[in-house]
Amino acid sequence: SQTIHQWPATLVQPVGSPLSLECTVEGTSNPNLYWYRQAAGRGLQLLFYSVGIGQISSEVPQNLSASRPQDRQFILSSKKLLLSDSGFYLCAWSVTVINEQFFGPGTRLTVL
Amino acid sequence: AQSVAQPEDQVNVAEGNPLTVKCTYSVSGNPYLFWYVQYPNRGLQFLLKYITGDNLVKGSYGFEAEFNKSQTSFHLKKPSALVSDSALYFCAVRDMRSGAGSYQLTFGKGTKLSVIP
């Protein structure tokens, strides 16, 4: 069966520090991968998606970036965090674009 | 453009009573529709989906949803609510007519369900 992992689970970082969040998927090949941010426990905002290694599309302009160095690894990064980057970050995968997405456990990021 | 609305921020229901969480959508073509549940500080869990076929879709944990094309709705239902059903519920839609480059799954803002013992 497929599983999706995210780490760290929680992170507290000062403003201006770098960020690296990691997501890995097991049990499937060539998944579509997604990064979402959830603010205040409600709506989800799609940040990035990837259909293959090295293929990243951004949905919103921001100081975050994403990379996919391996088929089942998706990384969210920032060179300098802002206060507004605080939130709950969720990684997800799907077999194809029309299939349901399966979410990881999330990373709670607090920027102070 | 595609959009989804969950008109109720919160729904309260007594344990054992039927529950309904409402969702309406707007798409240009035909919709793919999904329901997810989120427990506190957890990721979203997939409950059920409508792609095509029967309008009544059955999913995990006894939940079901009815697709109504004329009312553009996809309400989530359960015949008998459990206290453990208390969580945040999200409806999501994707327009089948979206181009190959569009991967956007649009989520509603969520409905908090509280099942009262």
Side-chain angles (χ1 to χ4, degrees):
Chain A
S1 64
Q2 301 87 9
T3 56
I4 179 169
H5 305 279
Q6 286 186 247
W7 63 89
T10 60
L11 191 60
V12 180
Q13 292 285 92
V15 169
S17 64
L19 174 73
S20 181
L21 303 181
E22 189 165 344
C23 170
T24 59
V25 181
E26 297 178 354
T28 188
S29 297
N30 197 31
N32 293 327
L33 296 172
Y34 312 84
W35 277 113
Y36 289 88
R37 177 167 56 206
Q38 185 179 28
R42 284 296 177 124
L44 277 75
Q45 179 185 37
L46 179 64
L47 302 175
F48 301 94
Y49 64 87
S50 171
V51 299
I53 296 174
Q55 301 179 61
I56 309 294
S57 297
S58 174
E59 287 294 307
V60 293
Q62 59 209 314
N63 72 320
L64 299 171
S65 62
S67 62
R68 186 171 176 173
Q70 300 180 42
D71 181 43
R72 290 169 289 175
Q73 185 185 29
F74 204 24
I75 296 172
L76 184 69
S77 303
S78 174
K79 293 182 179 178
K80 290 186 178 181
L81 284 168
L82 307 173
L83 286 174
S84 58
D85 291 324
S86 293
F88 193 47
Y89 288 83
L90 291 161
C91 181
W93 74 275
S94 66
V95 175
T96 70
V97 66
I98 68 170
N99 288 93
E100 58 273 24
Q101 294 178 16
F102 296 98
F103 286 78
T107 294
R108 174 77 59 190
L109 173 65
T110 303
V111 183
L112 302 176
Chain B
Q2 58 194 38
S3 65
V4 62
Q6 294 182 241
E8 302 156 316
D9 283 343
Q10 177 144 0
V11 170
N12 297 322
V13 63
E15 185 177 22
N17 282 4
L19 69 86
T20 298
V21 183
K22 296 179 180 178
C23 171
T24 58
Y25 66 90
S26 176
V27 294
S28 301
N30 292 318
Y32 293 128
L33 292 157
F34 305 85
W35 274 103
Y36 289 85
V37 60
Q38 185 181 31
Y39 296 96
N41 296 310
R42 303 286 295 275
L44 277 68
Q45 295 179 33
F46 169 72
L47 282 178
L48 51 81
K49 65 181 177 182
Y50 172 82
I51 303 298
T52 186
D54 290 341
N55 290 341
L56 185 63
V57 178
K58 294 188 182 296
S60 305
Y61 313 120
F63 284 94
E64 59 188 27
E66 186 168 10
F67 172 65
N68 188 316
K69 188 171 184 177
S70 63
Q71 298 185 6
T72 62
S73 67
F74 190 55
H75 301 332
L76 182 70
K77 299 181 180 183
K78 187 173 182 180
S80 178
L82 301 173
V83 172
S84 57
D85 293 329
S86 299
L88 191 56
Y89 290 80
F90 290 94
C91 182
V93 68
R94 184 181 181 272
D95 191 341
M96 286 189 190
R97 193 173 291 183
S98 297
S102 172
Y103 294 84
Q104 185 76 274
L105 185 62
T106 300
F107 286 84
K109 293 184 177 181
T111 298
K112 183 178 180 181
L113 173 68
S114 294
V115 181
I116 303 163

